[in-house]
Amino acid sequence: MQRTDRVVSALDPGEGLAQNDRVRLSGGCSVSGAAGMAFFLGVAVMFPLILQTVTSGPSPTAEMGNSKSIRFLALGDWGGLPFSPYTTPVEKSTAQQMGVVAETMGIDFVLSLGDNFYYDGVNDVTDKRFQETFEEIFSAKSLKDVPWFVVAGNHDHSGNVTAQIEYSNVSKRWNFPHYYYDLNFTMAGSNTTVTILMLDTVLLCGNSDDFEGREPEAPKDYSVANTQLEWVREKLKNSRSDFLIVAGHYPVWSIAEHGPTRCLVQKLYPLLTQYRVSAYFCGHDHNLQFIQDNDGIGYVLSGAGNFMEYSTRHKHHVPKGWLKFFYADIISLGGFAYVEITPEQMIITYIEALGKSLYQTTISRRSKR
């Protein structure tokens, strides 16, 4: 596998359309849950790519745009506070810089990696936290029409996750069709395909108590957990995508406070390896990390959306040589990952909230690994 690791001081816009050159349209996405539930999801998007489907069932194909890449931001653990001002300086600074990147670099969507609302999720679909912690904070003009694809974290499961799913019918940019689902994209002109499996790692492994430092011990419902795991297995087995990404809240590997999630190392990691996944995206630990195993799978941890915590307590629990990048400087006021996928490679750049590019690496398309 060809791979490049380098620290960068500025972002290269690369090829493709500028944000203000993109065509706006209303797209209908077919959405179905694991139990067969289906509904129509209308999203106002600015996509320079093919959006095939948002679904946990069969994937129809549609085509639009003419960009040479797919670009998105990955952000976890951005969930503000349950009391006034319902946000933190880290969240506000991170949101502001995301707006800058969206305007100057262009993005097609945001992957929201869980812990969307601290500390106990939301109560119902009319909860003011949707406005106070999400809509009013990520308010840059460049983010207004950008879709967010959402998964739940452990703090979300302390509240009403169904309400977060239902909020998809309220907000034009909030897309959370089911506890777990998949996204499929194709780049116009190249037929390069990208699949992202969005998982609920809390349903898969159980909830955790951050304040007591306990990792998840077991799923609340083994039947629900096994159903999701079999869904993941089948999706990975049948995927022929050029780039295959899995995303969830809990990390598979991490050197920080929470460390590797034993359940995911035992149940998910073998599948990621067997089916040659490109990367796994997550949050949970409140910092930025890039870990790469011996099979070339990249583990992108982006959990610095609301707090920044320095911890390396589990550095000996990750195999030697796998950690490529770690950042947890509180002075930076948070950060996120910017991802661009071209026909040849996935380029991952970690950016701090003050605007500095910290680290960049690439992962080749699956056929070249």
Side-chain angles (χ1 to χ4, degrees), residues 34-35 180 204 221-233:
Y180 53 94
L204 198 59
D221 187 318
Y222 280 94
S223 176
V224 170
N226 290 334
T227 297
Q228 181 179 188
L229 190 63
E230 285 307 308
W231 177 86
V232 174
R233 188 190 312 274

Side-chain angles (χ1 to χ4, degrees), residues 164-237:
Q164 291 197 39
I165 293 174
E166 291 174 348
Y167 190 66
S168 302
N169 298 319
V170 177
S171 172
K172 68 179 182 180
R173 56 179 175 163
W174 184 272
N175 298 280
F176 194 175
H178 192 260
Y179 287 92
Y180 53 94
Y181 55 99
D182 64 335
L183 306 169
N184 295 279
F185 306 95
T186 302
M187 275 175 256
S190 71
N191 292 322
T192 301
T193 53
V194 178
T195 291
I196 307 177
L197 303 186
M198 305 287 282
L199 307 188
D200 191 316
T201 55
V202 179
L203 292 183
L204 198 59
C205 297
N207 214 327
S208 60
D209 191 324
D210 287 349
F211 297 105
E212 293 187 10
R214 293 196 308 232
E215 71 170 288
E217 296 180 356
K220 183 178 180 180
D221 187 318
Y222 280 94
S223 176
V224 170
N226 290 334
T227 297
Q228 181 179 188
L229 190 63
E230 285 307 308
W231 177 86
V232 174
R233 188 190 312 274
E234 286 302 308
K235 287 291 181 179
L236 294 178
K237 179 181 178 181

Side-chain angles (χ1 to χ4, degrees), residues 3 21 62 69 88 115 123 145 158 162 180 238 248 265-266 276 309 314 341-342 366:
R3 180 174 61 82
D21 289 331
S69 67
T88 66
D115 280 1
N123 294 317
D145 293 312
S158 295
T162 300
Y180 53 94
N238 295 325
V265 172
Q266 294 173 348
R276 299 172 47 249
E309 298 173 358
H314 287 93
I341 302 177
T342 71
R366 295 167 75 204

Side-chain angles (χ1 to χ4, degrees), residues 177-367:
H178 192 260
Y179 287 92
Y180 53 94
Y181 55 99
D182 64 335
L183 306 169
N184 295 279
F185 306 95
T186 302
M187 275 175 256
S190 71
N191 292 322
T192 301
T193 53
V194 178
T195 291
I196 307 177
L197 303 186
M198 305 287 282
L199 307 188
D200 191 316
T201 55
V202 179
L203 292 183
L204 198 59
C205 297
N207 214 327
S208 60
D209 191 324
D210 287 349
F211 297 105
E212 293 187 10
R214 293 196 308 232
E215 71 170 288
E217 296 180 356
K220 183 178 180 180
D221 187 318
Y222 280 94
S223 176
V224 170
N226 290 334
T227 297
Q228 181 179 188
L229 190 63
E230 285 307 308
W231 177 86
V232 174
R233 188 190 312 274
E234 286 302 308
K235 287 291 181 179
L236 294 178
K237 179 181 178 181
N238 295 325
S239 177
R240 299 296 179 267
S241 294
D242 298 302
F243 295 90
L244 181 54
I245 296 168
V246 180
H249 181 63
Y250 291 149
V252 177
W253 301 104
S254 169
I255 70 163
E257 179 70 19
H258 297 106
T261 305
R262 182 171 59 247
C263 159
L264 296 182
V265 172
Q266 294 173 348
K267 296 180 179 180
L268 185 61
Y269 178 60
L271 298 180
L272 303 182
T273 302
Q274 180 179 357
Y275 296 111
R276 299 172 47 249
V277 165
S278 304
Y280 177 81
F281 284 73
C282 69
H284 199 44
D285 271 321
H286 300 156
N287 42 59
L288 303 172
Q289 300 179 48
F290 182 73
I291 293 169
Q292 191 162 44
D293 67 18
N294 293 333
D295 294 300
I297 301 171
Y299 296 86
V300 180
L301 194 154
S302 178
N306 198 67
F307 309 108
M308 185 66 95
E309 298 173 358
Y310 186 94
S311 169
T312 59
R313 64 177 295 190
H314 287 93
K315 63 182 180 180
H316 298 302
H317 294 194
V318 172
K320 185 177 180 180
W322 286 17
L323 179 68
K324 310 300 181 184
F325 167 74
F326 173 82
Y327 186 79
D329 189 346
I330 187 60
I331 298 177
S332 69
L333 291 176
F336 51 90
Y338 175 84
V339 182
E340 180 173 16
I341 302 177
T342 71
E344 297 301 320
Q345 61 187 0
M346 175 164 54
I347 307 163
I348 304 162
T349 306
Y350 291 84
I351 304 171
E352 67 173 14
L354 298 180
K356 181 181 178 181
S357 298
L358 302 167
Y359 178 82
Q360 186 177 87
T361 188
T362 65
I363 297 174
S364 298
R365 63 188 287 162
R366 295 167 75 204
S367 62

